[in-house]
Amino acid sequence: MRSLCTRRFGPPSKWEIADLPTPKITRGDEVLVRVHAAAINPTDIGGALGRYWPAFSVPLPFKIGYDLAGTVAATGNEVTKVKVGDEVFCCLPFKDREKYGSGSVSEYALITQTLVISKPKNLNFVEAASIPLVALTAIQMFDKVPGGVDGKTVFVPAGLSGVGSVAAQMAKNAYGAGKVITTVSTTKLSMVDNLLGKGVVDETIDYTKINPAKTIPQNSIDVVIDSIGATFSSLALLKRGGIIVACAGPPPSGHNVRNISTEVPFLIGKILDFLDAITRWWVGRYQVKFDSVLMKPNGSELERIKEWVEEGKIKPVVGKVLKFENLEGIKEECTRIMKGKGGVGKVVINIIAD
């Protein structure tokens, strides 16, 4: 099968589309998916750059991608949840029982039946592929908020980013936030209501002209959902007893890393836990709480997300769609993501045109 991969750790310029062995079902609970579309996330690029190898023995060639939507091509003899031909979507695990799960930007991908979910009926493959990782990250971030966000003021920086676009919608439409505040650049101001839905965001700040930390009143925010590393710049905005939940910025705790792989070296886990303790101590000086999330795929959570999508509570935000054959275009977009240059929503690769 063809797969987007890198034979040695490095930037997108080193990536290639190579012929690699098609994954084979070796366990009764496995599902082989023929991939129609796959999305790119910053974590995919981090893996390809080799940022995981100090903590995990990541094999080469490293296959790119975790998000996908496609059709079931084959199943193990214990699978009852789906059948051949079913349209599904999922987020591949980083590692599952000694098998590395990355490689959604490929013609085929292998996953256990507990993590594969039938595709939302109101989405095409491209739209469905854009959802899993960012929505699972968002739902796991909200689950860290004591008492939830119902009626509360929630600050979601970068509301048209991958995680931000889903988190803003989830806050208002699924969890009942009283007020949602976000930030975008000047050119994206007019896109917020159109892409996220009118009334989802109550206040949009143009961060290129106004510093959010100076325009949002201090001690006025209950919850910050941080996917861009805005933890420390947001501290003064939080009410006493408020909370920041981050998936970017401060390093993940050793506990969070061990949650996705048991092979984390003892010393690295302890160092990460120490750094996490320092972050919590620093944040605690402002009399607020801090927690972090390192997303782990979860089938029941993705099922909830699918229901919210079908109910119209969450809309996918797809920024750019590329053909699988357009390797140079893929490299260009992934280089932009690597450099942190703002885009809108997710980059999705069409493996098989709808």
Side-chain angles (χ1 to χ4, degrees):
M1 69 170 187
R2 294 179 302 160
S3 179
L4 180 66
C5 66
T6 181
R7 297 186 186 275
R8 64 173 187 260
F9 295 130
S13 60
K14 304 292 185 183
W15 298 0
E16 61 180 283
I17 295 176
D19 286 320
L20 298 178
T22 301
K24 295 186 182 299
I25 292 175
T26 59
R27 299 194 301 257
D29 64 345
E30 290 179 333
V31 177
L32 183 67
V33 179
R34 187 185 186 198
V35 182
H36 287 237
I40 294 291
N41 296 281
T43 189
D44 308 337
I45 300 166
L49 287 168
R51 290 176 182 165
Y52 304 155
W53 74 261
F56 312 106
S57 54
V58 180
L60 292 172
F62 180 82
K63 296 189 291 184
I64 314 296
Y66 295 95
D67 279 337
L68 67 83
T71 53
V72 175
T75 63
N77 58 14
E78 299 172 10
V79 173
T80 58
K81 189 176 182 181
V82 294
K83 64 183 184 301
V84 173
D86 283 356
E87 297 182 350
V88 297
F89 76 141
C90 64
C91 179
L92 300 177
F94 179 79
K95 190 177 181 183
D96 178 39
R97 285 178 286 181
E98 304 308 315
K99 286 189 177 183
Y100 283 84
S102 64
S104 65
V105 191
S106 306
E107 291 179 314
Y108 291 91
L110 195 65
I111 191 168
T112 56
Q113 70 166 335
T114 57
L115 298 180
V116 68
I117 302 297
S118 60
K119 180 176 71 66
K121 296 181 177 63
N122 55 335
L123 299 186
N124 59 34
F125 287 109
V126 166
E127 293 167 333
S130 74
I131 289 282
L133 189 146
V134 292
L136 285 167
T137 300
I139 202 173
Q140 290 172 21
M141 293 174 83
F142 282 112
D143 283 349
K144 295 277 189 177
V145 180
V149 301
D150 186 26
K152 296 179 181 178
T153 299
V154 181
F155 179 35
V156 183
L160 290 182
S161 64
V163 173
S165 63
V166 176
Q169 296 179 75
M170 203 175 279
K172 180 62 71 72
N173 297 335
Y175 290 113
K179 182 178 183 180
V180 175
I181 303 171
T182 194
T183 59
V184 296
S185 61
T186 307
T187 57
K188 300 173 188 173
L189 284 171
S190 61
M191 302 180 188
V192 174
D193 282 352
N194 183 45
L195 293 176
L196 304 186
K198 192 169 182 60
V200 167
V201 174
D202 300 282
E203 181 180 351
T204 306
I205 299 167
D206 182 350
Y207 70 86
T208 66
K209 295 182 177 179
I210 306 170
N211 184 346
K214 293 182 178 179
T215 189
I216 298 174
Q218 293 189 1
N219 305 311
S220 66
I221 303 294
D222 295 294
V223 178
V224 175
I225 300 296
D226 176 24
S227 65
I228 63 168
T231 291
F232 297 112
S233 63
S234 302
L235 286 174
L237 307 180
L238 281 153
K239 299 175 182 176
R240 290 184 179 183
I243 186 171
I244 296 178
V245 184
C247 65
S253 67
H255 171 78
N256 282 348
V257 177
R258 287 188 293 269
N259 188 45
I260 64 170
S261 177
T262 56
E263 65 176 35
V264 183
F266 177 81
L267 181 59
I268 289 179
K270 288 298 182 183
I271 290 172
L272 290 173
D273 281 334
F274 176 69
L275 294 174
D276 181 65
I278 292 175
T279 300
R280 290 172 187 267
W281 168 78
W282 184 268
V283 171
R285 294 167 68 243
Y286 289 78
Q287 298 185 334
V288 300
K289 303 181 184 72
F290 173 82
D291 213 329
S292 63
V293 165
L294 195 59
M295 190 281 301
K296 183 177 183 178
N298 181 295
S300 61
E301 290 175 346
L302 191 57
E303 188 70 50
R304 282 169 63 195
I305 290 161
K306 172 197 167 184
E307 291 172 3
W308 288 338
V309 169
E310 291 184 337
E311 291 168 0
K313 293 179 178 179
I314 296 175
K315 299 194 299 181
V317 179
V318 177
K320 196 157 197 175
V321 181
L322 299 166
K323 293 181 179 178
F324 191 29
E325 295 76 15
N326 184 8
L327 179 58
E328 292 308 311
I330 293 170
K331 289 180 179 180
E332 181 180 331
E333 278 301 301
C334 291
T335 298
R336 175 189 62 77
I337 295 170
M338 180 183 70
K339 291 181 177 179
K341 294 183 177 179
V344 173
K346 298 290 292 293
V347 173
V348 181
I349 300 170
N350 234 339
I351 311 295
I352 302 173
D354 284 349

